[in-house]
Amino acid sequence: MTDSIFQEDVQTVAERQAAEALIVDVGAFEGPLDLLLTLSRTQKVDLRQISILELAQQYLAFVEQAKKLRLELAADYLVMAAWLAFLKSRLLLPPDPTEEGPSGEELAAHLAFQLERLEAMRNAAAKLMARDQLGRDFFARGITEDVQRVRRVTYTATLLDLMQGYARIRTKDDFRPFVLDRDSVMTMEESLARMRHLIGFAGDWTDIASYLPEGWDVDPVKRRSATAATFAASLELAKEGKIDIRQGETFAPIQIRKREPRDG
Amino acid sequence: MAKSNNDSLFEAPPMAEQERMVEAILFATADPVSVLELTGRMPHGCDPAEALAYVRKRYEGRGVNLVKIGDAWAFRTAGDLGFLMQKETIETRKLSRAAIETLAIVAYHQPVTRAEIEEIRGVSVSRGTVDQLIELEWVRIGRRRMTPGRPVTFVVTQGFLDHFGLENARDLPGLKELRAAGLLENRPRPETVVETDEDEDDDQVDLFEDD
Amino acid sequence: MAKSNNDSLFEAPPMAEQERMVEAILFATADPVSVLELTGRMPHGCDPAEALAYVRKRYEGRGVNLVKIGDAWAFRTAGDLGFLMQKETIETRKLSRAAIETLAIVAYHQPVTRAEIEEIRGVSVSRGTVDQLIELEWVRIGRRRMTPGRPVTFVVTQGFLDHFGLENARDLPGLKELRAAGLLENRPRPETVVETDEDEDDDQVDLFEDD
């Protein structure tokens, strides 16, 4: 971009080079204060003794030059230029006692302070960066160990827990609500298992009473249970289609027979 | 390494310096470092093997030791200080119901076999439950029962008595007291407790007198 | 219980043992460890501060040294041995001039607001610059300034101190001279009269004295 600008300008090579020396670097300045600091170095004096007036003139000349080169300057460079022009006039003219606000000297002193402070920070930054740095000049531990988080669980119980636990078990025992006396009970499952086996041998109608197991037909309690179980088992078998079941009339004997496998 | 050597221009740093170098390299490197690598990284003429020997000696008994891993070397935390690499958080949990019941049975019926515990609880006792109680040091294995199969028995420990503030297991309240305390709301059947316990009670007395 | 000293039950390990522990803990981590954390990890009754002093002495002049960073401690390789560690060197992003200056301003003027940084540099600070420093964990947000708008302030971190080998912010190079020359003051421009600066200076003094 600067190339095209220079081509348009009618300048001697020498002029152009002189301008370039300053202008080409505009992008490298970190704002007007930085530019002022750079310019101030040409005075080669302690910043405390710097001539702000001279500096203001240098800066204004720089801005003039940049304008001539149609270089776009950021707004803050122009604001600074305006302020420095004001400062210049204040410094050149004798102080007007009726005027409010700070004197030219005060303003100049503050600018000098700002420049000095900026330079001090620059130097400090350089010193800081010149220090030995972690990971470059000195090093941290290469093999690190993680701190494991161990969760240790301790269990606890109180005597009351213990006694209640025991009471719970014993109560369960005592409270077993109803224990069936299995001795005189025949379950349908038992009966079913028995009949599945026997039914193969029975070809004709037979009273289910004859299927009662041996010894279960005497004791009435046992006989009742066995009869009920046998009857229930017979119904189950009939449902499965293994047997036919019939009863002549109410309270007549219930008869069953094996159902022949269908052959037609 | 004699001074007369022509190489004296490239004289190796003194051994103390080499030690420092080995220290620094081993400290900062992310992996164990072989002698070969040390040689490559240290100035010409150094003897890393010798320096390593000195460093190893220097760190003997320290909080970190120089250890050889394969053919490489590294600093490692001393074995006895591993506990420092852990941050313990202790969490207190209530013992599970199964564990409490099992513990109660052992306490009231000791010495008691696993089969007996199962019979009393009416459910099988997982190995983990008894293991947990043993780990807590509240239950330990007692004498084997002189019955077929010689099953092991379980008894409670001194630790158990301490934890529950008991002089001995016989101080545990009986069913009557439990009932009086309102812990047994339902009809008791004391006989069931005692029946088979006669022998065991004798054992129990023995046991606690042994202790 | 006949012992006159009840604490003897919880007697701390001997100092030599505590030294080993400090060594082990600090060797195991790349980050500085505070005395508080050491206290938390070492057995009851230990005095990490005393142990640290011994360890520091022991490692004086060695290839790795014990360094203090803020209120934390870490082992770091000796500065003169950096040349051995080229392999370990971490290529860090090159910081821009703006970032370096901003970092210095934060370090020397902390706690400092963005407006103050801009005032010192005479140019606006791009968000990216501060973000980059925060990302590097060299700068963090400090307390809000008690001035209108309650702007956030920036301060440097322990990571910053660690990176530049500073024990605390007061050790920044040339800090005393800068302060004596009045160059760390926040002098307002003559035309703008700001009364709130009193507080700001106080803050700054506090910070450096706290450390």
Side-chain angles (χ1 to χ4, degrees):
Chain A
M1 199 178 82
T2 41
D3 277 351
S4 62
I5 293 168
F6 286 128
Q7 274 160 18
E8 284 170 39
D9 274 286
V10 188
Q11 284 182 327
T12 68
V13 172
E15 271 176 329
R16 212 182 66 198
Q17 279 176 340
E20 238 178 304
L22 201 55
I23 305 294
V24 165
D25 274 343
V26 154
F29 290 117
E30 298 262 346
L33 206 57
D34 184 33
L35 173 56
L36 274 170
L37 191 57
T38 307
L39 291 171
S40 73
R41 291 214 180 94
T42 62
Q43 292 187 26
K44 288 186 179 138
V45 287
D46 187 334
L47 273 177
R48 284 166 195 265
Q49 271 114 56
I50 197 170
S51 162
I52 291 294
L53 185 61
E54 195 182 319
L55 189 60
Q57 274 161 347
Q58 279 178 285
Y59 186 92
L60 293 170
F62 169 85
V63 171
E64 235 3 76
Q65 184 80 329
K67 273 186 191 159
K68 222 161 68 187
L69 295 173
R70 294 193 204 159
L71 211 71
E72 276 183 57
L73 282 182
D76 47 355
Y77 284 85
L78 299 176
V79 170
M80 179 61 91
W83 188 79
L84 285 173
F86 164 75
L87 177 61
K88 195 177 127 188
S89 67
R90 279 251 170 150
L91 288 170
L92 289 173
L93 297 173
D96 177 355
T98 62
E99 199 161 352
E100 296 271 310
S103 69
E105 276 72 27
E106 283 172 317
L107 293 174
H110 184 72
L111 180 60
F113 166 74
Q114 279 184 291
L115 289 174
E116 201 189 345
R117 185 174 60 179
L118 179 59
E119 184 168 72
M121 279 302 108
R122 282 241 165 110
N123 293 338
K127 272 190 215 150
L128 191 62
M129 298 315 280
R131 287 185 70 86
D132 281 353
Q133 292 182 35
L134 179 65
R136 191 187 76 185
D137 307 295
F138 62 96
F139 296 85
R141 179 71 169 132
I143 305 173
T144 55
E145 280 176 65
D146 289 331
V147 177
Q148 275 183 305
R149 293 204 168 269
V150 180
R151 205 199 295 143
R152 211 181 65 197
V153 180
T154 59
Y155 288 93
T156 144
T158 62
L159 189 56
L160 190 67
D161 292 331
L162 194 70
M163 294 187 316
Q164 280 172 336
Y166 190 63
R168 199 158 51 224
I169 306 162
R170 301 315 324 195
T171 323
K172 202 161 55 191
D173 245 22
D174 300 337
F175 208 50
R176 206 165 52 190
F178 179 62
V179 185
L180 273 177
D181 190 352
R182 298 271 162 178
D183 286 357
S184 23
V185 172
M186 185 171 206
T187 65
M188 189 194 80
E189 285 72 26
E190 283 169 342
S191 189
L192 196 58
R194 185 182 152 77
M195 287 180 71
R196 276 191 207 287
H197 178 67
L198 290 177
I199 198 74
F201 304 106
D204 210 349
W205 292 107
T206 323
D207 189 340
I208 60 166
S210 63
Y211 283 92
L212 296 191
E214 209 172 318
W216 283 73
D217 46 0
V218 187
D219 177 357
V221 178
K222 281 189 164 185
R223 194 176 67 220
R224 226 174 5 248
S225 173
T227 305
T230 305
F231 176 63
S234 303
L235 291 177
E236 187 60 33
L237 288 171
K239 199 168 107 195
E240 289 173 16
K242 299 262 168 53
I243 60 168
D244 294 321
I245 186 163
R246 72 175 186 192
Q247 186 177 28
E249 54 182 315
T250 317
F251 299 120
I254 296 164
Q255 293 179 311
I256 58 172
R257 78 170 175 195
K258 183 183 171 194
R259 177 183 282 187
E260 293 303 328
R262 230 172 274 170
D263 40 13
Chain B
M1 289 295 146
K3 294 261 172 188
S4 58
N5 200 310
N6 279 343
D7 284 345
S8 58
L9 254 177
F10 302 106
E11 213 171 356
M15 190 44 71
E17 220 20 55
Q18 294 189 34
E19 260 191 72
R20 291 181 74 231
M21 293 177 184
V22 165
E23 247 179 353
I25 294 173
L26 292 184
F27 175 85
T29 309
D31 299 301
V33 185
S34 67
V35 174
L36 197 71
E37 202 184 334
L38 283 173
T39 310
R41 284 169 70 171
M42 288 163 70
H44 187 77
C46 283
D47 184 350
E50 196 187 339
L52 275 165
Y54 282 116
V55 173
R56 181 177 219 171
K57 197 148 196 93
R58 179 180 289 273
Y59 280 85
E60 242 165 43
R62 305 296 315 154
V64 279
N65 307 138
L66 185 61
V67 296
K68 196 174 182 192
I69 297 145
D71 61 352
W73 296 81
F75 283 117
R76 288 277 188 257
T77 309
D80 63 321
L81 296 179
F83 72 94
L84 291 170
M85 301 305 135
Q86 301 181 338
K87 232 181 214 170
E88 257 189 19
T89 49
I90 294 172
E91 194 179 291
T92 307
R93 273 189 221 163
K94 263 220 167 304
L95 209 55
S96 72
R97 182 175 160 155
I100 285 186
E101 288 183 7
T102 304
L103 181 62
I105 292 166
V106 175
Y108 277 90
H109 295 265
Q110 64 173 346
V112 63
T113 66
R114 178 185 300 269
E116 288 159 358
I117 296 171
E118 292 184 348
E119 196 179 314
I120 295 167
R121 280 199 71 214
V123 286
S124 66
V125 174
S126 80
R127 173 161 286 281
T129 305
V130 178
D131 285 353
Q132 189 189 14
L133 294 172
I134 289 174
E135 208 173 291
L136 280 167
E137 299 188 341
W138 284 350
V139 164
R140 62 174 177 82
I141 290 171
R143 283 176 296 191
R144 282 181 184 277
R145 181 67 52 75
M146 287 307 171
T147 53
R150 297 178 41 77
V152 295
T153 61
F154 299 101
V155 294
V156 291
T157 63
Q158 188 60 44
F160 166 87
L161 299 175
D162 292 345
H163 183 92
F164 290 96
L166 298 164
E167 281 280 316
N168 63 53
R170 275 170 302 179
D171 289 351
L172 278 169
L175 287 181
K176 247 184 228 160
E177 287 107 317
L178 290 180
R179 192 176 343 120
L183 292 166
L184 261 180
E185 239 80 86
N186 305 295
R187 290 166 300 145
R189 283 207 330 197
E191 320 85 73
T192 51
V193 190
V194 194
E195 277 166 2
T196 52
D197 280 6
E198 293 290 330
D199 300 335
E200 291 179 17
D201 271 348
D202 287 347
D203 270 7
Q204 194 169 323
V205 172
D206 282 356
L207 179 101
F208 284 105
E209 277 166 3
D210 281 354
D211 278 355
Chain C
M1 289 297 146
K3 282 181 194 166
S4 53
N5 188 355
N6 280 342
D7 283 344
S8 57
L9 258 175
F10 300 107
E11 214 165 1
M15 190 44 69
E17 225 12 61
Q18 295 189 33
E19 263 192 70
R20 292 181 72 232
M21 292 176 187
V22 165
E23 261 177 343
I25 292 173
L26 293 184
F27 253 76
T29 169
D31 297 319
V33 181
S34 69
V35 175
L36 197 73
E37 195 183 335
L38 284 173
T39 309
R41 281 172 65 184
M42 288 164 70
H44 187 79
C46 282
D47 183 354
E50 193 185 342
L52 280 163
Y54 284 117
V55 172
R56 181 177 224 176
K57 198 147 196 89
R58 178 181 289 274
Y59 280 85
E60 243 165 43
R62 306 294 317 154
V64 279
N65 307 137
L66 183 62
V67 297
K68 191 176 183 205
I69 300 144
D71 60 352
W73 296 79
F75 278 116
R76 297 289 180 247
T77 60
D80 64 318
L81 298 177
F83 71 96
L84 293 168
M85 252 67 74
Q86 275 127 348
K87 240 187 101 183
E88 267 60 56
T89 306
I90 313 150
E91 260 324 308
T92 40
R93 242 187 312 171
K94 217 169 158 39
L95 282 180
S96 68
R97 194 173 133 187
I100 291 172
E101 279 182 26
T102 304
L103 178 64
I105 292 168
V106 174
Y108 284 82
H109 290 260
Q110 63 176 343
V112 66
T113 65
R114 181 184 296 268
E116 286 158 359
I117 298 171
E118 294 183 345
E119 159 78 14
I120 293 168
R121 295 197 62 229
V123 67
S124 63
V125 176
S126 79
R127 173 158 284 283
T129 305
V130 177
D131 285 355
Q132 191 186 10
L133 295 173
I134 290 175
E135 206 175 293
L136 280 166
E137 299 186 346
W138 286 350
V139 165
R140 64 174 177 81
I141 289 170
R143 283 176 296 187
R144 281 182 184 277
R145 180 66 52 78
M146 288 307 169
T147 53
R150 294 175 47 77
V152 295
T153 62
F154 300 101
V155 294
V156 290
T157 62
Q158 177 181 280
F160 166 85
L161 298 177
D162 191 13
H163 186 91
F164 291 99
L166 295 163
E167 190 170 320
N168 62 52
R170 273 170 304 177
D171 292 349
L172 283 165
L175 183 77
K176 251 186 219 147
E177 293 79 359
L178 289 173
R179 173 119 30 96
L183 291 169
L184 299 183
E185 285 165 27
N186 200 347
R187 239 182 257 173
R189 267 196 173 198
E191 60 262 71
T192 54
V193 186
V194 186
E195 316 84 8
T196 50
D197 279 329
E198 296 284 329
D199 296 340
E200 296 175 13
D201 278 343
D202 283 353
D203 268 11
Q204 189 170 323
V205 170
D206 277 359
L207 180 103
F208 283 109
E209 274 166 9
D210 280 355
D211 279 357

